[in-house]
């Protein structure tokens, strides 16, 4: 509270009373069970870096909005936490410091120490703006007991959409004969996941137009809707009672779902049955998963940018040893280490979480990301409910997204 008051009043010191360089890191909301691991890392950094006064600002509520208020008041922290979809907007706001040169000359860590897909995800306009913390990407979570019960082979690296559909169809059951499905084979994947897997794009590479009307994107959206409307292997909002994907899985009301690795600690605490992970199924494209891992960025308002970089560098390398029980380090050496693979905690197929980085790529990144999604979701939801066809929905979506892109190009929305 004292630190927050000092920052908001503009009185944050550059150096401590002992002459140590002050680095303020804004930490996002975090469950207490996980926070203790981060606290251990913070303490370790302070011990190994006596010349840096690391101060942690714990943010509650809406992290991004509160950080933006600090930027507007020119009292931003030195280091912020971010996800891939936030990167473009932060860069366009001029909020981040490019890290290419300082990373190349720091003498401790190289850009090649991180998984290439993670580096690509946090590179924008030719510059690296954040150091990737975890190498999380979308994975297929599944219930082996349900697979055995229905005589199904476990998911493999060669699995296709049709293989997933076959398994989901077998698992979907009305167990009490009342005419309502009690166990669904699958939680409906995010539509963006399927578009990506099929080689489609949401917007063109140059950011000038919506490409959801391409053949690859249309095929993916048709399959996404068919999972609910035609095959009925995914729950409706009513049958799912608005529960999260992992909650349906924990209650054994869904046999599979696609999510990022950080859901693992939740399943460890909540599942009283065997569960495991596999690569997401193949569409017709090369990319099968989106990088969802988080990163640390040094802000353009940092008063000690070199010390701030050292905190981000250390936390994404040596510091990850403190939290790698629930995160996959973006540091290749740690992510491929025997120490990480041999941990006794589930899932059994941990190596898959590393292998997926070879077939993962950045998600949609654009400064007007929120406006783009807002222009898409209402019409796609209508198609998903069966109120219109996918073709009709996309015909409404494309001009709306194109208008957002044109407005951004003309007015600099998000800059």
């Amino acid at each position: 509270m004292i630190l927050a008051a000092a920052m908001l009043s503009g009185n944050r010191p550059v150096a401590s009373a002992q002459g140590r360089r002050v680095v303020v890191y804004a930490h996002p909301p975090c469950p207490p069970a996980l926070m203790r691991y981060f606290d251990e890392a913070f303490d370790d950094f302070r011990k190994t870096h006596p010349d840096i006064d690391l101060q942690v600002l714990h943010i509650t509520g809406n992290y991004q909005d509160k950080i933006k208020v600090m930027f507007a008041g020119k009292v931003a922290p030195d280091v912020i936490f971010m996800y891939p979809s936030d990167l473009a907007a932060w860069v366009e706001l001029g909020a981040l410091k490019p890290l290419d040169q300082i990373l190349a000359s720091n003498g401790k860590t190289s850009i090649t120490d991180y998984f290439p897909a993670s580096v690509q995800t946090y590179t924008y306009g030719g510059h690296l703006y954040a150091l990737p913390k975890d190498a999380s990407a979308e994975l297929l979570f599944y219930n082996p007991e349900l697979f055995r019960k229905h005589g199904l082979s476990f998911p493999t690296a060669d699995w296709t959409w049709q293989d997933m559909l076959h398994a989901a169809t077998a698992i979907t059951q009305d167990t009490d004969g009342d005419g309502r499905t009690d166990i669904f084979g699958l939680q409906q994947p995010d539509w963006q996941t399927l578009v990506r897997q099929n080689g489609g794009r949401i917007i063109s590479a140059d950011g000038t137009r919506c490409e959801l009307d391409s053949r690859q994107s249309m095929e993916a959206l048709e399959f996404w809707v068919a999972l609910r409307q035609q095959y009925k292997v995914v729950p409706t909002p009513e049958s799912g009672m608005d529960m999260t994907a992992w909650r349906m899985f924990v209650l054994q009301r869904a046999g599979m779902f696609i999510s990022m690795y950080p859901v693992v600690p939740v399943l460890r605490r909540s599942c009283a049955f065997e569960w495991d992970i596999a690569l997401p199924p193949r569409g017709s494209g090369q990319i099968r998963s989106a990088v969802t891992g988080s990163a640390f960025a040094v802000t353009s308002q940092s008063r000690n940018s070199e010390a701030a970089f050292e905190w981000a560098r250390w936390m994404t390398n040596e510091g990850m040893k403190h939290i790698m029980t629930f995160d996959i380090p973006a540091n290749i050496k740690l992510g491929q280490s025997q120490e990480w693979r041999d941990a006794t905690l589930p899932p059994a197929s941990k190596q898959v979480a590393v292998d997926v980085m070879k077939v993962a790529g950045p998600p949609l990144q654009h400064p007007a990301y929120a406006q783009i999604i807002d222009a898409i979701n209402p019409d796609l939801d209508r198609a998903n409910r069966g109120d219109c066809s996918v073709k009709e929905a996309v015909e409404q979506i494309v001009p709306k997204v194109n208008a957002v892109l044109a407005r951004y190009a003309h007015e600099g929305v998000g800059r």
Side-chain angles (χ1 to χ4, degrees):
M1 291 176 64
I2 293 172
L3 175 60
M7 290 184 67
L8 292 176
S9 66
N11 295 322
R12 176 161 64 93
V14 177
S16 67
Q18 295 77 30
R20 294 184 296 162
R21 293 171 295 170
V22 172
V23 170
V24 177
Y25 161 58
H27 193 67
C30 184
L34 300 185
M35 194 64 234
R36 66 185 183 92
Y37 293 100
F38 281 102
D39 285 335
E40 291 175 1
F42 301 156
D43 290 341
D44 191 9
F45 179 83
R46 294 181 180 113
K47 291 175 183 176
T48 57
H49 295 73
D51 60 323
I52 298 176
D53 183 0
L54 174 66
Q55 300 180 12
V56 180
L57 180 63
H58 294 274
I59 303 294
T60 58
N62 190 306
Y63 183 85
Q64 282 216 70
D65 285 351
K66 292 186 177 181
I67 298 298
K68 286 178 181 177
V69 168
M70 292 180 185
F71 270 107
K74 299 191 183 303
V75 289
D78 296 285
V79 180
I80 61 172
F81 177 99
M82 70 167 55
Y83 287 108
S85 59
D86 305 328
L87 177 68
W90 283 123
V91 173
E92 291 293 308
L93 283 171
L96 307 182
K97 179 180 177 64
L99 300 179
D100 313 82
Q101 291 186 1
I102 193 171
L103 178 60
S105 62
N106 78 98
K108 296 178 181 178
T109 299
S110 166
I111 196 170
T112 59
D113 291 333
Y114 300 101
F115 284 102
S118 296
V119 171
Q120 182 186 5
T121 297
Y122 287 101
T123 299
Y124 187 79
H127 293 288
L128 179 69
Y129 282 98
L131 298 184
K133 176 179 73 69
D134 55 290
S136 179
E138 294 166 321
L139 295 161
L140 179 71
F141 290 77
Y142 71 99
N143 183 328
E145 292 181 14
L146 288 176
F147 274 69
R148 294 189 191 100
K149 178 180 178 180
H150 296 285
L152 299 168
S153 300
F154 293 162
T156 69
D158 296 323
W159 245 36
T160 65
W161 285 357
Q162 291 306 310
D163 293 320
M164 179 178 69
L165 176 60
H166 171 73
T169 302
I171 292 171
T172 300
Q173 296 285 312
D174 170 13
T175 58
D176 55 13
D178 66 353
R180 294 182 297 182
T181 301
D182 300 294
I183 302 175
F184 291 91
L186 178 70
Q187 276 283 30
Q188 193 171 34
D190 184 84
W191 62 266
Q192 295 187 54
T193 297
L194 298 182
V195 168
R196 187 180 303 111
Q197 289 175 346
N198 209 46
R201 296 183 63 96
I202 299 172
I203 62 175
S204 59
D206 62 6
T208 60
R209 70 172 307 274
C210 177
E211 292 194 348
L212 286 181
D213 56 356
S214 70
R215 177 185 60 80
Q216 297 94 328
S217 297
M218 288 291 291
E219 286 178 354
L221 294 175
E222 293 279 7
F223 181 69
W224 180 70
V225 169
L227 289 173
R228 175 174 290 177
Q229 296 299 329
Q230 178 181 346
Y231 304 116
K232 303 185 186 306
V233 295
V234 301
T236 64
E238 296 76 22
S239 59
M241 299 177 65
D242 291 328
M243 285 189 286
T244 60
W246 67 262
R247 186 62 181 164
M248 288 282 286
F249 184 78
V250 166
L251 294 174
Q252 298 192 70
R253 291 194 56 199
M256 296 176 282
F257 72 106
I258 292 176
S259 187
M260 58 184 184
Y261 192 84
V263 78
V264 162
V266 176
L267 300 187
R268 287 173 178 167
R269 294 193 305 269
S270 306
C271 290
F273 56 89
E274 180 187 0
W275 57 274
D276 208 347
I277 58 175
L279 290 177
R282 294 178 181 273
S284 64
Q286 298 298 312
I287 299 297
R288 298 170 65 173
S289 181
V291 175
T292 58
S294 55
F296 297 114
V298 177
T299 70
S300 57
Q301 292 183 16
S302 174
R303 303 187 184 188
N304 283 309
S305 57
E306 289 190 4
F309 170 83
E310 174 56 18
W311 154 245
R313 185 211 64 78
W314 183 89
M315 192 61 216
T316 59
N317 290 272
E318 298 96 315
M320 282 301 296
K321 294 180 180 179
H322 291 277
I323 61 176
M324 56 194 265
T325 56
F326 58 87
D327 262 344
I328 311 162
N331 175 288
I332 296 175
K333 185 176 180 180
L334 287 176
Q336 295 180 340
S337 68
Q338 207 68 27
E339 179 183 2
W340 187 81
R341 288 200 304 268
D342 289 351
T344 56
L345 295 171
S349 304
K350 287 187 185 66
Q351 181 61 36
V352 170
V354 175
D355 294 341
V356 74
M357 294 304 293
K358 300 174 184 177
V359 291
L364 172 62
Q365 292 175 307
H366 190 278
Y369 174 85
Q371 296 98 308
I372 292 169
I373 297 302
D374 286 346
I376 294 173
N377 280 342
D379 289 301
L380 272 192
D381 285 343
R382 288 195 306 119
N384 201 26
R385 292 194 304 267
D387 294 337
C388 69
S389 68
V390 169
K391 183 175 183 293
E392 291 169 333
V394 171
E395 287 174 348
Q396 295 294 315
I397 288 169
V398 169
K400 292 178 183 178
V401 174
N402 286 343
V404 171
L405 297 175
R407 188 167 67 251
Y408 169 80
H410 178 67
E411 301 175 359
V413 176
R415 292 184 187 179

